[in-house]
Structure formats: C-alpha cells, structure tokens
Amino acid sequence: MRAEIIAVGTELLLGQIVNTNAQYLSQGLAELGIDVYYQTVVGDNADRIRAAIETARGRADLLVFTGGLGPTLDDLTRDVLAAYLGRAIVTHEPTMRKIEELFMGRGTAFVESNRRQAHLVEGATPLRNDTGLAVGNALSVDGTHYLLLPGPPREMKPMFENDGRTWLRGALGEANALHSVMLKFSGIGESMLEDLLIDLIREQNDPTIAPYAKEGEVAIRVSTKAGNAEEAARKLEPTLQEIRSRTKGYLYAEEDIPLEAAVVRLLEQKRMTLTVAESCTGGMIAAALTTVPGSADAFLGGVVSYSNAVKHRQLGVPMELLEGEGAPGAVSPETAAAMAEGARAIADADFSLSATGVAGPAGSEGKPVGLVYVGLAERGKPTRVEKLQLSGDRQGIRIRATKRALHLLWQSLSGQE
Amino acid sequence: MRAEIIAVGTELLLGQIVNTNAQYLSQGLAELGIDVYYQTVVGDNADRIRAAIETARGRADLLVFTGGLGPTLDDLTRDVLAAYLGRAIVTHEPTMRKIEELFMGRGTAFVESNRRQAHLVEGATPLRNDTGLAVGNALSVDGTHYLLLPGPPREMKPMFENDGRTWLRGALGEANALHSVMLKFSGIGESMLEDLLIDLIREQNDPTIAPYAKEGEVAIRVSTKAGNAEEAARKLEPTLQEIRSRTKGYLYAEEDIPLEAAVVRLLEQKRMTLTVAESCTGGMIAAALTTVPGSADAFLGGVVSYSNAVKHRQLGVPMELLEGEGAPGAVSPETAAAMAEGARAIADADFSLSATGVAGPAGSEGKPVGLVYVGLAERGKPTRVEKLQLSGDRQGIRIRATKRALHLLWQSLSGQE
C-alpha cells in the first residue's frame, strides 16, 4: 500500500510550527509495512485542500490527513473531503454528548461551532479522541483509504496508536502486519556501528535492519512481517542474537527508551544511588536523569560547579589542582576525579558522575574546544576518568559529554565494561 | 510571489528525520514577503521528483528545493531538474577546486562521485556553501524561479541567509523586502498576551503582527515592507511603542533570544552573580543558563537537591521544614525560600533561584501534580517565593517552572516587577 501524508494548516506554511506529525506517522506507517511516497502540507483553504486530495489520489491508495478537524470555520478537512466524495456530513452522537457535557460542566456559554468537532463524513468509522474533542474519521471509497486525524500531536498520537492503527490493520489484512524491535546503542557512533554490522545490513532481506541516529545515541530497528507475535519473534531472534553478540558494551536496551532511563532502571533494580558533579555539562546530566519518572529513589541530586570556587567549596576539589602555575586546571583528569569523589562522599551515594571540559565557543585554560573529562566514582572501587575529544557546537559537545558520562555508568552497572 | 518548498530525501519519508528545513524556510520566505502555499516531501526517486516539479510548477512561481545535492547517486535533484528543463549539467570550477584540494589535503583516495557536488544546472547562479561542499543553484526559467539548497540544516541555513536571500531579493525587487522585529515575552500565556493586544491584532494591516508560541515563551513578529531599514524603522516604531507600553514586565527582548540569554546579559552588565538550588527542575535551570556562551562569568553553579538529605546537608534546609508531622514538606514556600537562601549563602552570590514542586506523573506529599514553588533570594533583600499551578506532562511542567524561575529573576534585574 502507498500512502501520502497531508498536513492541513496555515501555521505550518508560515513556519510557526514544525511538522513533527509527518515524522511520527511516517515511522508508524513504516512499522505497518506501508510505504510513504509523499508528504504534503497545505493551508486552510478549501480549493487548495481539494487540489491536494486530487493530486494525492493519483499517486497513493491511503491518504492520511492531520489537522483541520477543530471547531473553527478554518477547520475544513472534513467538509472538503465530504464535498469531494459527494457525501453528506453526519453527526457522531457520542462525541456531541461529550462536547455538550463539557460545556455544561464549565457553565460557560456554548459556542455553536464546537458542534463541528462531532462531524463525520457519511459512512466513516469514528476514531476515539481520548485527549481532545474532535472525532477522527476513517473510510474507504473506491479502493482509496482516508484517515482523518487531529492536528495537535497530543490528540493525534493516541488516536493513531489506538483506533487508527486498528483500522489500518483491518484495511491491510493482519498477515501484512510488521513486527519490529528497536535496539538502542550508546558509546558508539553510527558509522562504527554500521561497520560492525555491515554484512548483516548489506545482506538484509527479512528481517530488515534500519539504522536511526540522534545526537549521542544510535538505534537500529529490526523488522519482519508476520501473522502473529510468536511467528515474528521466531523470525527476528537469530538476527537479534547476532547483533547482540557483536555489540556488547553498547547495546543498552531492546526498546525505545533513552539511556538515562536504562541507567535509572538498573540503579533501582540494584537499590543503588547516584549523585553528579557537573561543570561543562552545567546540569544536563541531572536534567536528563530527572526526566525519568520516579528517578528520585535512585538519583539524590548533585552539584553544578561552574566556577572554581564552587568546585573547591562544595566538592572539596583542592585549589592546588585548579589554579596556580603547573596546576592541572579545572579541565583535567585530576579535577574530574576529585569532583566525582567529592560529590559521592558528600551525598554518601553509591556512584557519582562528573564532567569537566571546554564546550566552547572559545577555548579555556589554553585547552581546545571539545576536550572533556568524564569521571565515575564508585563506593569501594578506584575512580575512573575517560578523556573525550568531542566535535560539534557548544550544545552538541554538552549533549555528547552527558551521554558518554551516562554510558560509563551504564557499562559499570550492567557489567559490560 | 507564490512558493512551494520541496524537500527531497527518502529519510524524511521513513520518518528518520523531521523536516525542520521546511519551517525554517517558510519563516525566511515569509520575512521576504513570499507566500508559501504548499510544502512537499518526495523520496530519492527520479520519476517522483520530476512529478513533484510538474505539480509544483502548476501552482507556484518559486520552487525551493532542499536535499539531493550530495555526492551519491541517490542525490538526484540537480540532474532531474536539468533534464526537466532540457538543460545540460556544467561544472562550477571554484567548487571543484575546493573539493580536489580537500581530498588532496587529507591524503585519502579521491572518490569520483564527489565531483557531483560541483555540478550546476546550465545557466544557474552558484550559491556559496561555507559549511559544506555542494554548491547551491538558483535560476529563473520562463517566469518560474528555482532555488536548490543542500539538505543538512547546517549547510542549508547559511546558504539561504547569504546568497539565497540575496538572489531572492534580486528576483523580487528590493522595494518588496520585508523588515521585521521579533518581540519575546515570558511570564504570560499566548492567549493572555493576545487579549492585551487584541485590538492591534484585529486591526493590523501595515505593520503586520504575527504571534508565535513555544513552551514557556511567546513571541510576536511585527513586520512591514519597506525600501530600506530607516523607512522600516519609521513604519514599525509606533506599533512597537504601543506594544511595549501594554506588555511591561513580560517583554524581555526585541530580538530572537531565549530568556536565559537575556538574564545572563543583564547579570553581566551589572557584574552580578547567580547560583541555583533545584529540586523538581532537576538541573534544567542550570542547563538552560549554561547554554549561553560565556555564562561562566555570571553563573557560579548550584545544587540539584533531589533528595531531602541533599536539601538539608548541602543547602542547609532545616529538617523540621522537610519531614515530620506538621512540617510544610519539601514542596512548600518555606522550603523554596530556604533552598534559595542556602544556595546564595554558600556560593556568596548576588542572586539565587530555587524550584521545588511536583512534576508528576504521581503526586507527592499529598500535593497535586503541577504545584511548584519558585524562590528568588537576593543579597540584602527579602526572599520572594511564587506559587505556580502548572498543567501539562512531567517535562512540560519542568520547562514552565524553569522559565518562570528565570522570569522572576529577569523582572528583578530589569526593574520591571
């Protein structure tokens, strides 16, 4: 099946928002084994929406719309599609009751246009909206499938994941469903990982192997089409085992979670605690760890020691290390170790991570931009320091230093050093 | 002039990357007074790229391409456009010399396909690439304008800003150029800001007033078309003055900088220093401040006090405040004040910001998700605490708490309390 994703909204054409929906749906459709050939963005204009539908019908079997299902007169997607197909607009009563109850509950005046959010193209299957009001639409006419989803990602995503995916599976036939496993790696670059797996990637057929990259992390999706989960697992397992054996020390999860979540999970399993001492990363390691819900049990907190005075007073880093002739300086393996050890001792934690370096744009202490030391102090073990020479801009260097520090701890926690 | 933005790249259709280029160019074209009617994404496939060009020619006068200018045989944009226009491919000699020198300098084998990056559609104006190898193309044929830019944002953006914008201004005629001022606000929601300016927004004509929103910050772009900068300033100033007088306490910059940059700038001007004590924001205030290059002069560092033990030991928050029957608890105005005061005293800073609250997903201490206290301690002044009741998910609450804390300090520093 060939799909086209059509985002409707003038705010996209003005550059006020980024079309993240297109990426999300492209991934979701790929997982279902549906090829996306075009993505289109069109404004809130009936003639141009209709023209986009006509163009898309000539080159796709599935048209997935986002946006234009809201209450205002600018929200045109449903009306234009109904007119194009020569169908009436009907009301989805459960949604209408939900809208009326909501406004009664608020005691505010009911705005008539809100009723538009309960509208369906005649004959369409309604798609439940758990996080908003506008009902989704799904229908098949003359061999073309139409899926109408809301524009706000927090409404669109749950609707697609639930009723949308179910309806598409029905339209496709279950045997076609794609099953996949996401493998997440850290501490290794995309090209080095590809080198390790180059023969598997070259010879891939079924399962397929698709690499993804984000700053500081890489991922591989291994996918196969199968009738059910057991058959899929049987087809995927030999490839997964081969990849696992080649990527020890880097493969931190077999699901799509960030490295910080894997670290927090291991700490919780072992009932161990962590603190941090951050200089160049300036709070980013702590901020990453605290994105994980429930991280408070394992992560005690830490110190952002941007100035030498804070490094000395709050972490106990000796001034002889930091300043004066012949001192190693703030950006040195000695200071990284002293920061990690000081933070661990103060909080009496099992582990402590530190980072000190030159994030740029200017060098510091005569040291080059990108030079970073990350330290790991562990109760009862010698402290380790890793020297990094990172490239990229200020924020890129800080992100990569954060990930490398977390990776150092993950290796220790998982015994994959 | 009507434009269509065409992104070429299968990685977009697979959802591996987000099409941020489309947003960037939509904004850039809007600033030039060019209307974008469609954005299209097409894969690395000659037939489909040609079909996209044909469709776009029927509905736009300016086709802006991103991607497909690289060295590989998958990079097809130039070749397909040349074939479509019946033109030859010629070599841009300066780019070819740059490519040859680069590879000679590296001492690595020269890969022939790299020469493709020096290719131009016959008759095209070359656009300089300061951050990569592929030369851009700009040409006008039979009343349609074509602009070919590279796909990677770090190459595309400088090329568009420099040669691309210059070429477009020439194609448009200078009198048409759009001049605009970006106003950045914090501490006020988008809808409340619109309420304050509703008559100006309703009656807008020239200058135009366009709102933008990001999490925790809102922006307004005020624009006019003018022949030169002086004329533009004369036309913009009355509107700007009216907005300034209505939005005192919220308007933190008249350029597109984040709130943390405005705060660091004010601290530097006053030669004052700042430290932080973060609980629910978990390092995000520090991480935001340290994104600003040179922030080390003003920002000394701080403490991420996620656990009560750290709040007590490192910030000196009395245990009676934190635990025990009748204690206000970690999430309380008393603790927010004690955290800020403790952090300020330890670092001997002029200011200290604190944040403590419930980011969710679960409540804490019987307090609801979204309840956050932010504190501001200032040398020689009474400490202030603001109570926030924020909505959204965990990360949204943390972002808004971070921005509100920074806004509290900005108000004090700018005297706009």
Side-chain angles (χ1 to χ4, degrees), chain B residues 67-400:
Chain B
L69 303 189
T72 78
L73 293 175
D74 271 356
D75 290 303
L76 295 167
T77 308
R78 253 173 331 232
D79 298 345
V80 172
L81 181 63
Y84 175 76
L85 297 173
R87 298 206 171 191
I89 288 286
V90 299
T91 295
H92 183 237
E93 289 302 334
T95 298
M96 186 59 85
R97 281 195 297 278
K98 184 173 152 189
I99 293 170
E100 288 169 350
E101 278 163 21
L102 182 87
F103 280 85
M104 278 197 298
R106 279 192 192 159
T108 52
F110 186 79
V111 180
E112 273 306 307
S113 62
N114 272 301
R115 296 192 193 280
R116 291 171 54 80
Q117 298 184 86
H119 284 176
L120 288 173
V121 177
E122 192 179 12
T125 303
L127 307 177
R128 214 175 66 239
N129 188 339
D130 289 334
T131 47
L133 291 178
V135 66
N137 284 235
L139 71 163
S140 303
V141 180
D142 300 334
T144 303
H145 308 285
Y146 303 88
L147 193 62
L148 279 64
L149 302 169
R154 59 177 216 92
E155 296 182 33
M156 185 281 288
K157 290 181 185 178
M159 186 184 288
F160 178 76
E161 292 307 328
N162 298 315
D163 285 2
R165 212 181 263 276
T166 307
W167 186 83
L168 281 171
R169 284 229 167 88
L172 286 168
E174 185 64 24
N176 259 329
L178 204 77
H179 297 256
S180 52
V181 173
M182 187 71 107
L183 303 178
K184 298 287 299 269
F185 302 87
S186 185
I188 186 169
E190 191 183 13
S191 58
M192 202 179 133
L193 181 64
E194 281 190 19
D195 274 357
L196 281 181
L197 306 176
I198 189 69
D199 54 317
L200 299 179
I201 292 171
R202 284 230 177 98
E203 291 155 18
Q204 67 171 298
N205 175 22
D206 182 16
T208 57
I209 301 173
Y212 295 74
K214 282 199 305 185
E215 217 146 12
E217 284 187 11
V218 287
I220 285 180
R221 190 192 290 278
V222 184
S223 311
T224 191
K225 286 182 185 175
N228 57 55
E230 292 72 46
E231 186 196 337
R234 212 165 40 241
K235 291 175 71 179
L236 293 172
E237 195 52 30
T239 304
L240 293 176
Q241 275 191 8
E242 185 60 32
I243 294 175
R244 279 183 209 120
S245 76
R246 295 190 192 187
T247 58
K248 234 176 143 48
Y250 306 112
L251 173 62
Y252 72 81
E254 300 198 4
E255 63 187 300
D256 192 7
I257 58 170
L259 179 59
E260 47 272 22
V263 165
V264 168
R265 192 181 291 177
L266 283 170
L267 286 168
E268 282 172 346
Q269 282 170 4
K270 294 172 184 271
R271 298 178 182 276
M272 293 178 105
T273 56
L274 169 67
T275 182
V276 297
E278 303 189 55
S279 184
C280 65
T281 50
M284 290 174 70
I285 303 175
L289 289 162
T290 55
T291 56
V292 184
S295 47
D297 292 336
F299 179 61
L300 304 178
V303 172
V304 179
S305 56
Y306 223 52
S307 72
N308 281 345
V310 171
K311 287 186 186 74
H312 174 60
R313 274 188 293 198
Q314 297 214 45
L315 293 170
V317 178
M319 281 312 286
E320 308 87 79
L321 278 185
L322 297 169
E323 288 168 16
E325 212 169 323
V331 179
S332 67
E334 293 86 348
T335 297
M339 285 170 62
E341 287 165 6
R344 201 199 67 73
I346 294 166
D348 191 30
D350 296 306
F351 294 96
S352 174
L353 285 173
S354 69
T356 181
V358 187
S364 170
E365 298 181 343
K367 286 158 187 164
V369 173
L371 175 67
V372 177
Y373 295 94
V374 295
L376 171 65
E378 187 171 349
R379 194 191 297 280
K381 288 200 183 169
T383 297
R384 287 190 296 157
V385 174
E386 197 172 295
K387 177 181 177 176
L388 311 174
Q389 186 56 59
L390 303 171
S391 58
D393 62 7
R394 181 178 173 85
Q395 195 63 358
I397 287 169
R398 283 156 41 95
I399 291 171
R400 280 186 279 278

Side-chain angles (χ1 to χ4, degrees), chain A residues 12 26 43 59 63 94 96 118 141 173 180 214 218 225 237 239 277 280 303 378 389 393 403-404 415:
Chain A
L12 289 160
S26 291
R59 58 194 191 186
L63 278 54
M96 186 60 85
V141 180
S180 53
K214 281 199 306 185
V218 288
K225 285 181 184 174
E237 194 53 30
T239 304
C280 64
V303 173
E378 187 172 347
Q389 186 57 61
D393 62 7
K403 291 287 181 185
R404 290 301 288 268

Side-chain angles (χ1 to χ4, degrees), chain A residues 283-357:
Chain A
M284 290 174 70
I285 302 175
L289 288 163
T290 54
T291 56
V292 184
S295 49
D297 292 334
F299 180 62
L300 305 178
V303 173
V304 179
S305 57
Y306 224 52
S307 72
N308 281 345
V310 172
K311 286 185 186 75
H312 174 59
R313 274 188 293 198
Q314 298 215 46
L315 292 170
V317 178
M319 282 311 286
E320 308 89 80
L321 279 185
L322 296 169
E323 287 167 15
E325 211 170 324
V331 179
S332 66
E334 292 86 349
T335 297
M339 285 169 63
E341 287 165 6
R344 200 197 68 72
I346 294 165
D348 191 29
D350 297 305
F351 294 95
S352 173
L353 285 173
S354 69
T356 179

